[in-house]
Amino acid sequence: MKIKATIEKVPGGMMVLPLLLGATIHTLAPKSAESLGGITGAVMTGTPVLLFVFFFAIGVNINLKASGKIAAKGINILIGKILLAAILGIGLNQILPENQMMTGVLSGLSVLAVIAAFNAANGGLYAALMSSLPDRDVDVAAYPFFSIQSGPFFTMITLGIAGIGSFPWQALVSTLVPFVLGWLLGTLDPEIREMFSPVSGALIPFFAFSIGFSMDFHMIINSGLTGILVGLGVVLISGFILSTTDKLILKSDGVAGWAASSTAGAAVSVPPLIAEMDKTFAPVATSATAIVATSVIVTAILTPVMTMWAYKRRYGEITK
């Protein structure tokens, strides 16, 4: 049976389908984790542990010995995404009532949802798009340099600087531990890097299911339209900004900027993790998670379209 291939036909399928499965079970049987107990019940509610291993595996792939051109490409995307998310989040904080729209077309929209959706690019999608184009080895190799966006660290920093959230220093350090530990071990021993490199992808459906189990379909439906609009904004706004900085600062063609104009699947984990560290975000965490999940789907569809448009506009048809 081609189960994996079938799942991957759905945009962001490895993230989205397990999340929807978890939400379905929680909607129909909200106390199933308690009833089952044991290791199965623990996995259904064990998002933090799964994410620690996931972020460790991402850290393993960071190679600071890479060439300057590769590092510059990745850091341009990293800084561009972070600054854009910060500017939008700080701006929205000035106009949103209690940091969240409660009614209307943008029901559920919150500062947390916007920062989480804009902050991190889908690295797997980026690498796949760049690999499908000719002479893109430098672009593909840049992915590990902006992969650290996937965690909650930069979202916490943005919220803290803007005065929107308050996080103890221990919480900030805690979010970096798996990345740093993975980076150190991967740098010291290439065999460890080789061992753990595939792990991050394998863990996605497990933590996606666990996150989904914290949601229900009522919230997903209510936040659907808002998530679609946020997803469109992520692609069009961040794609334009990243493409422009790629051209102006790196003297490149801007295609990599469009390929990074997406929301990472792991960003779905950010709202619940933030809410755990600062309880003032608890009322908006569920709707923010649903919005980010929708943005993952929208950007997984639209980012490839815009990337290929940008490439063909510059070079014509793809010949590889």
Side-chain angles (χ1 to χ4, degrees):
M1 294 179 67
K2 300 288 186 179
I3 297 175
K4 181 174 180 290
T6 302
I7 291 174
E8 290 177 339
K9 288 180 181 178
V10 178
M14 278 296 176
M15 179 75 201
V16 173
L17 293 183
L19 184 143
L20 293 176
L21 176 61
T24 300
I25 294 174
H26 187 254
T27 302
L28 299 176
K31 299 203 179 280
S32 53
E34 298 173 17
S35 301
L36 287 170
I39 58 173
T40 302
V43 167
M44 295 169 78
T45 57
T47 306
V49 175
L50 293 169
L51 287 172
F52 182 96
V53 183
F54 174 77
F55 294 135
F56 173 87
I58 288 179
V60 161
N61 285 296
I62 299 174
N63 182 10
L64 296 185
K65 296 178 182 178
S67 74
K69 194 172 183 180
I70 293 172
K73 181 75 72 168
I75 291 171
N76 175 65
I77 294 172
L78 173 69
I79 294 176
K81 293 281 280 187
I82 291 169
L83 287 180
L84 177 59
I87 291 169
L88 291 173
I90 292 170
L92 282 173
N93 187 55
Q94 304 303 313
I95 59 176
L96 286 182
E98 297 298 323
N99 297 329
Q100 177 179 220
M101 293 292 290
M102 302 302 295
T103 59
V105 175
L106 296 178
S107 177
L109 182 67
S110 64
V111 172
L112 179 58
V114 170
I115 293 178
F118 274 83
N119 219 23
N122 185 329
L125 179 62
Y126 169 88
L129 288 170
M130 290 293 94
S131 298
S132 69
L133 299 174
D135 303 319
R136 292 285 160 172
D137 293 342
V138 169
D139 293 311
V140 174
Y143 159 57
F145 284 91
F146 64 85
S147 59
I148 195 172
Q149 292 172 319
S150 299
F153 178 75
F154 289 107
T155 300
M156 293 168 66
I157 292 293
T158 302
L159 293 169
I161 291 174
I164 305 169
S166 177
F167 305 95
W169 67 265
Q170 295 94 331
L172 292 169
V173 172
S174 176
T175 63
L176 282 180
V177 167
F179 286 111
V180 174
L181 186 60
W183 166 67
L184 284 174
L185 291 176
T187 301
L188 294 171
D189 188 348
E191 290 186 3
I192 290 181
R193 178 180 295 145
E194 183 180 352
M195 175 181 177
F196 283 97
S197 288
V199 170
S200 57
L203 281 173
I204 288 175
F206 291 97
F207 77 70
F209 174 82
S210 180
I211 291 170
F213 190 75
S214 68
M215 305 165 64
D216 62 53
F217 269 103
H218 301 98
M219 182 56 68
I220 293 174
I221 292 169
N222 289 341
S223 302
L225 178 57
T226 304
I228 291 171
L229 294 174
V230 169
L232 288 171
V234 170
V235 174
L236 299 178
I237 299 173
S238 66
F240 174 77
I241 297 295
L242 294 174
S243 178
T244 301
T245 57
D246 191 47
K247 293 174 183 176
L248 296 180
I249 298 175
L250 303 181
K251 308 304 179 184
S252 189
D253 57 15
V255 176
W258 286 107
S261 65
S262 59
T263 300
V268 179
S269 68
V270 171
L273 287 176
I274 293 292
E276 275 192 26
M277 298 175 193
D278 185 342
K279 300 301 181 185
T280 61
F281 289 101
V284 304
T286 303
S287 62
T289 302
I291 288 169
V292 175
T294 305
S295 182
V296 171
I297 300 172
V298 172
T299 59
I301 296 170
L302 192 54
T303 295
V305 174
M306 295 304 297
T307 303
M308 296 308 166
W309 167 81
Y311 182 88
K312 291 177 180 179
R313 187 166 179 257
R314 177 71 179 266
Y315 300 106
E317 291 301 315
I318 300 171
T319 57
K320 186 178 182 183

